[in-house]
């Protein structure tokens, strides 16, 4: 018997769950806007022996020996990130998007400082000052929203609040906003009140590097992102910033917030940055937006109401109020049918966040499988079939119906191999 058995031999239970998850991701229509398929190369790098190594500090300034390979690797990741985004400085160590945001707060603000961010119910992220998050507990958070009339970010309100509260830092970014962000307009407001403008492009980083959304880099003191959403990298975070803030940001990440960097994640990030620098990724980013627009049109053609009436990016918010079903119930029913999306609050939602009126739909993952705008009519039809059946049956779908729709989904997707699996 081997002293170092394979996962299948050593732990069949966990191995079995991982293989089952591969299968699930292969056969389901994955429409959760924050999710994607990382490539085989990214997954391979993320599973490397680099996980065994401690490397507290930064390249050339470490607290541990044996940096022969880790230093060059992290330098490559940094250089690739800077080149990809056109940034002056990059920190590739944040464990994920939330720690990256906390590091920026730690680096650029003092506890108790005023910050401003898009509120969670309007499509913002917890870490932009929502009250239950550290960003809302240790900093005084003022939240802006979207206009009641058209559900777009209300820049007049942002300016008014900024003048009134004089924030130290203004967040611009979202987890559920279907329209282009006007970084230049935010920068103008930030400069008027002498605030740091920080863009969190966790959702749209892939679109930014692929030229399908304007870049925040020229307008911001710092930019944070996850690496695993539209960017198609491993689960992780990244901070880009101006040279003037490099020291403060690096100090905030380590030793301010984190210990040893996850070198295996750093390697996988480097691979993802390389992939994202290829011409094929530009094509991918453009197709993500084209697919989202086509899917939005197809859903509206079937009578669905979209927040803001469509999308400019990879995601859309569908208001199900006119369908007699809540977002959560619809998402649960669809999940049984092999269609994965999430219930989501819509602006000024009258329902509770746990059982909101809408669903959020993203096109990043299905675009990674090679689906094109011409396929979006079928995607809309599959979604509509599930929602209509669930709405007609008090939110439930029969096992027979679910099996039949799951079969149709798997059959439809069988022409589009899932990367990495
Ligand atoms: C996903 C997301 C994050 C957090 O990322 P985690 O990796 O889940 O911590 C931060 N900001 C925005 C805008 C996000 O959408």
């Amino acid at each position: 018997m081997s002293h170092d058995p394979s996962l299948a031999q050593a732990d069949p239970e966990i191995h079995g769950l991982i293989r089952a998850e591969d299968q699930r991701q292969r056969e389901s229509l994955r429409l959760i806007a924050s999710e994607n398929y990382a490539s085989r190369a990214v997954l391979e790098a993320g599973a490397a022996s680099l996980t065994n190594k401690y490397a507290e500090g930064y390249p050339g300034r470490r607290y541990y020996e044996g940096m022969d390979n880790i230093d060059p690797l992290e330098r490559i990741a940094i250089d690739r990130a800077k080149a990809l985004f056109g940034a002056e400085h990059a920190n590739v160590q944040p464990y994920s998007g939330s720690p990256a945001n906390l590091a920026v707060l730690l680096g650029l603000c003092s506890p108790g400082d005023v910050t401003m961010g898009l509120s969670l119910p309007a499509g913002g992220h917890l870490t932009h000052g929502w009250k239950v998050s550290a960003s809302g507990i240790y900093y005084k958070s003022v939240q802006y929203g979207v206009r009641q009339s058209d559900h777009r970010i209300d820049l007049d309100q942002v300016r008014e609040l900024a003048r009134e509260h004089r924030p130290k830092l203004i967040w611009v970014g979202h987890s559920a906003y279907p329209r282009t962000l006007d970084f230049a307009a935010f920068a103008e407001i930030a400069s008027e009140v002498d605030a740091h403008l920080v863009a969190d492009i966790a959702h749209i980083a892939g679109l930014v590097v692929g030229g399908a959304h304007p870049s925040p880099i020229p307008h911001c003191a710092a930019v944070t992102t996850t690496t695993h959403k539209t960017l198609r990298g491993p689960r992780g975070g990244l901070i880009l910033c101006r040279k003037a803030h490099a020291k403060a940001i690096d100090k905030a990440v380590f030793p301010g917030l984190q210990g040893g960097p996850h070198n295996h994640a750093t390697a996988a990030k480097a691979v993802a940055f390389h992939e994202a620098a290829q011409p094929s990724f530009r094509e991918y980013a453009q197709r993500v937006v084209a697919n989202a627009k086509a899917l939005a049109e197809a859903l509206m053609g079937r009578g669905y109401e979209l927040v803001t009436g469509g999308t400019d990016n990879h995601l859309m918010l569908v208001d199900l109020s006119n369908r007699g079903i809540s977002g959560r119930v619809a998402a649960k029913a669809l999940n049984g049918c092999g269609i994965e999306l999430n219930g989501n609050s819509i602006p000024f939602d009258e329902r509770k966040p746990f059982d909101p009126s809408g669903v959020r739909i993203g096109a990043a993952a299905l675009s990674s499988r090679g689906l094109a705008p011409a396929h979006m009519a079928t995607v809309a039809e599959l979604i509509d079939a599930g929602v209509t059946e669930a709405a007609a049956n008090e939110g439930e779908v029969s096992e027979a119906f679910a099996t039949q729709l799951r079969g149709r989904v798997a059959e439809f997707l069988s022409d589009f191999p899932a990367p990495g699996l």
Side-chain angles (χ1 to χ4, degrees), residues 96-99 101 125 127-128 173-175 200 202-203 226 228-229 236:
S96 211
S98 304
N101 287 352
H125 193 261
T127 55
H128 298 182
H174 62 78
S175 300
D200 175 353
H203 261 262
T226 56
H228 50 271
K229 297 179 184 173

Side-chain angles (χ1 to χ4, degrees), residues 86-164:
E88 292 177 6
H89 181 75
N91 187 308
V92 297
Q93 294 191 4
Y95 299 145
S96 211
S98 304
N101 287 352
L102 205 48
V104 166
L105 288 168
L106 190 61
L108 301 186
C109 298
S110 303
D113 277 353
V114 176
T115 72
M116 273 178 56
L118 180 64
S119 75
L120 191 65
H125 193 261
L126 282 165
T127 55
H128 298 182
W130 193 243
K131 42 193 173 285
V132 299
S133 146
S135 64
I137 295 170
Y138 295 109
Y139 302 87
K140 267 196 217 96
S141 164
V142 175
Q143 304 257 282
Y144 58 88
V146 294
R147 276 188 298 261
Q148 187 117 37
S149 56
D150 61 1
H151 296 169
R152 303 218 181 199
I153 288 175
D154 186 349
L155 282 163
D156 294 329
Q157 185 201 21
V158 174
R159 191 178 299 104
E160 261 168 49
L161 288 172
R163 283 176 180 164
E164 184 186 343

Side-chain angles (χ1 to χ4, degrees), residues 277-299:
Q278 305 309 310
S280 58
F281 195 90
R282 261 194 110 68
E283 186 274 324
Y284 166 71
Q286 310 288 333
R287 192 156 41 78
V288 168
V289 174
N291 280 341
K293 284 181 188 291
L295 181 53
E297 286 299 327
L299 286 169

